[in-house]
Amino acid sequence: MYNQKMIKLGEERSDIRELFEYATARKKIVGKENVFDFSLGNPGVPAPQCVREELERLLRETPSVALHGYSSAAGLPEVRASVSDYIRTRFGAEMRPELVYMTCGASASLTIILNAILNEGDEVVVLAPFFPEYRVFVERAGGKLVVAPTDEKFHLDAEKLRPYLGERTKAVLLNSPNNPSGAVYSEEEIKSLAALLKEKSEERGEPILLLSDEPYRELTYGAKVPYVMNFYDDSVVLYSFSKSLSLAGERIGYIAVSPKCEGAETLFSAVCGAGRALDYVCAPVLFQRAVAKCLGKSSDVGEYKQNRDILYHALTEYGYECIVPEGAFYLFVKALEPEAKQFCARAKKHELLLVPSDSFGVSGYVRISYCVERSVIERSLPAFKALIEEYRK
Ligand code: PLP
């Protein structure tokens, strides 16, 4: 009677959401302090001061309609201009305000761009491990998700990707810093990808787009995140302030189409059309104004780094295997048995809530979100130790 695909999607829930709901229920039973919830990537470090200051100033000085009314679908012209200026000055890339579209976060940026570019059956190539919602977003836009492998450190290897680019490839979707591996793809890696995409686009006589999903751009521990537009013409950046400014619940981000894209204006029209078709009336106006004054700022990355260091050092000392995350706030740890789901079930008995890697497109790992309060990490360490000891018995 109703849409079967939607019913299935609603009932399935993601592994991550499922675990988060379990954590909420479990805390009521055994006490908040006894559950180690590493499920969601919900930023625990407060938004930087500039956000609060700007919100307070806006509320004091701006008429209500200019804060809470509609804006143009693509966003306030002055905000689009600020984003465009920022991209030009910070990254040295070409940009124009008319090619910036303000959105309700990265999820909206992804949904809109995918609906803008995909025809039924077109393929979008992602690198494993990848954010599980990519599958939902691509399939709902009528596309097919194609999963390509990375190297042993979860880094981009263009030659490993090559066989996955075919006749129907419309775009390659990258996410660096990566959720869940923490890998930050280097300039060399981006350059070799750009060369491959250029070669394949020429062969096909049609550009393959490079979509860069960048909610973690500012959250790195020393690694530099190359700006894709500087290396490949047919690029679109999908940005979100959810993680960088700890504004995940406010739903604010943008799409920036490179002016060097073939038919950039037409692509932008398709973005506007998809926004309209998907009912994205406009991004929240109060937050459009606030983020325009906080571009390039971020929450205290030092806090995440300390969390990362405590967890990484303790876990590797106990005997767990993992790669040091270069960015984002996730630790990707090898499960202690081949089936990650079974390992997570055993971890749950120690009140450790970890996400199995299967929905990220690789098997045998778990994701630990370390954007939590420091005390949760510290209190969880004996449980991680007990868990590995249990496997050694
Ligand atoms: N892309 C990646 C890689 C993510 O990790 C997330 C959220 O965790 C999103 C997109 C969605 O972010 P947003 O809250 O901005 O919609």
Side-chain angles (χ1 to χ4, degrees):
M1 184 174 49
Y2 302 114
N3 184 316
Q4 287 304 321
K5 280 191 191 155
M6 289 301 152
I7 297 169
K8 187 165 172 281
L9 206 55
E11 286 175 354
E12 261 173 16
R13 285 212 294 221
S14 73
D15 285 348
I16 301 172
R17 286 275 158 190
E18 189 85 45
L19 209 54
F20 176 65
E21 303 299 342
Y22 170 86
T24 312
R26 185 74 185 149
K27 281 176 191 169
K28 287 195 185 126
I29 301 168
V30 297
K32 191 170 169 281
E33 64 291 349
N34 298 316
V35 179
F36 313 117
D37 178 10
F38 295 110
S39 62
L40 271 193
N42 204 8
V45 173
Q49 193 58 20
C50 65
V51 172
R52 182 172 292 271
E53 281 169 9
E54 193 49 26
L55 285 173
E56 283 173 355
R57 191 190 68 74
L58 285 164
L59 289 170
R60 239 187 358 258
E61 296 175 9
T62 318
S64 177
V65 67
L67 290 184
H68 309 300
Y70 295 122
S71 72
S72 313
L76 293 163
E78 62 271 34
V79 172
R80 297 167 70 197
S82 299
V83 171
S84 169
D85 283 350
Y86 175 72
I87 291 173
R88 284 194 290 106
T89 52
R90 170 76 178 81
F91 305 111
E94 282 181 32
M95 189 42 63
R96 295 201 304 271
E98 310 86 76
L99 295 176
V100 174
Y101 187 100
M102 300 306 296
T103 66
C104 302
S107 304
S109 304
L110 282 154
T111 314
I112 292 173
I113 194 70
L114 292 167
N115 278 276
I117 64 169
L118 294 179
N119 291 303
E120 200 64 35
D122 282 343
E123 294 177 355
V124 176
V125 181
V126 295
L127 302 181
F130 60 89
F131 179 53
E133 294 303 289
Y134 286 170
R135 185 176 295 285
V136 179
F137 299 156
V138 169
E139 289 176 0
R140 283 312 300 159
K144 186 171 164 237
L145 192 85
V146 174
V147 182
T150 45
D151 72 9
E152 64 290 347
K153 290 191 165 170
F154 303 117
H155 268 257
L156 195 169
D157 179 338
E159 286 314 305
K160 281 194 191 305
L161 177 65
R162 180 183 282 278
Y164 295 84
L165 301 176
E167 273 304 298
R168 294 300 307 262
T169 309
K170 193 74 175 198
V172 171
L173 172 55
L174 285 192
N175 166 228
S176 166
N178 184 264
N179 170 12
S181 72
V184 175
Y185 305 149
S186 70
E187 191 170 308
E188 279 317 302
E189 289 164 5
I190 298 293
K191 277 184 180 160
S192 60
L193 171 68
L196 174 65
L197 292 183
K198 207 157 170 269
E199 176 195 319
K200 288 282 169 189
S201 300
E202 274 162 19
E203 246 172 59
R204 294 251 314 265
E206 190 191 321
I208 296 176
L209 284 168
L210 178 55
L211 309 178
S212 182
D213 178 25
E214 309 191 343
Y216 303 98
R217 166 168 283 281
E218 280 75 25
L219 306 184
T220 63
Y221 312 110
K224 199 167 161 260
V225 187
Y227 206 64
V228 291
M229 289 186 192
N230 291 334
F231 300 94
Y232 187 66
D233 288 352
D234 293 287
S235 292
V236 179
V237 168
L238 312 168
Y239 189 80
S240 167
F241 298 91
S242 289
K243 317 286 177 170
S244 58
L245 295 181
S246 300
L247 293 178
E250 305 297 353
R251 315 310 304 140
I252 185 79
Y254 60 80
I255 297 172
V257 173
S258 170
K260 295 187 199 158
C261 274
E262 192 177 306
E265 280 76 18
T266 313
L267 175 54
F268 196 78
S269 296
V271 164
C272 296
R276 194 172 161 201
L278 294 164
D279 293 340
Y280 285 101
V281 176
C282 63
V285 168
L286 173 61
F287 278 89
Q288 286 191 46
R289 292 192 187 281
V291 297
K293 294 288 187 302
C294 304
L295 295 166
K297 302 269 174 33
S298 81
S299 309
D300 185 356
V301 182
E303 289 290 319
Y304 293 130
K305 184 172 183 301
Q306 275 194 48
N307 284 0
R308 175 194 77 159
D309 292 346
I310 293 170
L311 203 54
Y312 175 80
H313 288 127
L315 263 56
T316 47
E317 192 193 304
Y318 302 155
Y320 290 92
E321 275 179 57
C322 48
I323 290 166
V324 196
E326 298 157 287
F329 40 51
Y330 308 101
L331 193 63
F332 209 44
V333 183
K334 203 152 193 204
L336 298 175
E337 57 182 297
E339 279 296 323
K341 282 192 176 158
Q342 278 173 30
F343 174 64
C344 289
R346 278 180 78 170
K348 227 175 185 179
K349 296 203 175 112
H350 294 261
E351 308 295 352
L352 290 167
L353 306 186
L354 319 176
V355 183
S357 62
D358 307 72
S359 60
F360 297 102
V362 293
S363 54
Y365 283 81
V366 294
R367 187 191 80 172
I368 301 176
S369 261
Y370 59 81
C371 54
V372 295
E373 278 175 30
R374 179 82 29 83
S375 61
V376 176
I377 293 180
E378 286 165 348
R379 278 201 314 273
S380 73
L381 298 181
F384 278 111
K385 194 157 188 258
L387 179 63
I388 198 166
E389 279 167 0
E390 190 183 288
Y391 273 89
R392 285 180 176 145
K393 272 182 197 152

